Amino acid sequence: MTYSFDTPCGVEQGFRAIADYQIGAALRELDRGEREREEIVHDVRLRCKKLRGLIRLVRPAFPDYKAENKAFRAIAHLFEDMRDAKVMQDTYDLVIAAHEEQVDRSAFASVRREMTNRRKAVHDRADWGAVKAEARAALAEARERARGWSLEADGWKALSGGLAKTHGRAVEAMAKARAEPTGANHHEWRKRAKYHWYHTRLLKHAFPQALKPRAETVHDLTDLLGDHHDLNVFVATIEGEPAAFGEPETIALLGAMAERLAADLEERAGALGERLFAEDTDTLTDRWGAWWDAWRAQERRSDAA
C-alpha cells in the first residue's frame, strides 16, 4: 500500500489501513540482519515520521492524537543517537564533496577519523538487541491500537483541519526564518514543511497531476533545509571541541567551508519556499477540498456505472 489515501470514500478506514501498513513495515525492518543496522535505524525512524504525519493530518478529528504522537516519537527516539552519529559523518562528506576542487581531502583526515570513531563508539555502547526488542514491543502495541482508531468526522471534514494547520504553520515558520535567519528558525521551518510534504503525499490522488509534482518539490525544499540544519550542528560540534578534531587552522577552515555551504542552501531554500508557500492557507485548503470533492464524485459515478 502506498503512503496515500487510495479512495475518497471511507477516510477512517483508509486512515487505519495506512497506519497498519506503516507499522507492519517498521516491524519487518526490525527483522533484518545485524549488518543492516543503519538501514534499520533510518527506515524505522522514517516509518514513525510518516505515522506522525498521518495522524497530524486528521488531528482535529482524532481524539487520540496526543497520546499516539507521543508514542511514535518515543519509538523513533530509541534510535536517535545512532542516527545522529551517522549524520555527522555524512555531513563531513557533504562539505568535502562541495569543495572537492578547492581543498586537499587528506588535510581533514583527522576530522573524518574522529567522526568515524564517534560513530563506532555509539554503536558499541548501544544494546542493539534491547533497543530492537523495545521498539518491536511498542510498535506491536501501537498496531493493535491503530486497528481500533476512530475519527470524529469523515470525508474532507476529517482532513481539512489538519492540512490547514500544518500548512499555516509552515508559512509562519518560513516567514520567521526569512526575517530572522537563524539555524533554529530554519530547522523549525523544515519540520513544518516536512509535515506538509507528508500531507501532500497522503492526498495526492485527489489530483495527481498537481499534487505529485508539488510533493517532489516540497521534498526538495526539506532536503535543503535538512542539510542546512545538519551543517549547523556539524559546525557547532567541531568548534565546540576543536582539540578533538585536529589543528585549529584545520577546524577554522572546515567550519568556514560548512558555513559557506549552509548559506548557499539557505538562499536556495528561501527562493523555493517563497514559491511553494506563496498561496495563503485558506485558499490552498479550499482548492484541495474542491479537488477531493471532484474525486469523490468521480468515484461515485464509477461505482454507479
Side-chain angles (χ1 to χ4, degrees), residues 135-212:
R136 185 179 286 107
L139 284 164
E141 291 172 4
R143 193 177 203 181
E144 187 64 27
R145 294 193 306 271
R147 288 171 173 169
W149 284 350
S150 61
L151 301 176
E152 294 179 339
D154 194 21
W156 186 244
K157 288 183 179 179
L159 305 167
S160 57
L163 172 66
K165 191 177 190 73
T166 295
H167 180 271
R169 286 183 170 180
V171 171
E172 292 172 1
M174 180 185 72
K176 187 171 183 179
R178 299 293 280 160
E180 303 172 41
T182 65
N185 285 344
H186 277 87
H187 182 45
E188 183 64 20
W189 179 22
R190 187 243 183 176
K191 289 191 292 184
R192 301 305 176 185
K194 196 146 194 174
Y195 282 124
H196 180 64
W197 174 52
Y198 289 136
H199 293 178
T200 306
R201 294 174 64 191
L202 286 163
L203 300 173
K204 66 185 178 185
H205 290 306
F207 190 8
Q209 294 88 340
L211 293 177
K212 285 184 178 180

Side-chain angles (χ1 to χ4, degrees), residues 191-251:
K191 289 191 292 184
R192 301 305 176 185
K194 196 146 194 174
Y195 282 124
H196 180 64
W197 174 52
Y198 289 136
H199 293 178
T200 306
R201 294 174 64 191
L202 286 163
L203 300 173
K204 66 185 178 185
H205 290 306
F207 190 8
Q209 294 88 340
L211 293 177
K212 285 184 178 180
R214 180 178 180 87
E216 292 173 1
T217 307
V218 178
H219 189 209
D220 291 341
L221 172 64
T222 61
D223 279 349
L224 291 171
L225 292 172
D227 287 343
H228 182 275
H229 172 67
D230 294 340
L231 286 163
N232 277 280
V233 175
F234 177 79
V235 170
T237 300
I238 62 173
E239 292 185 349
E241 304 176 70
F245 291 99
E247 296 297 324
E249 296 81 2
T250 301
I251 302 309

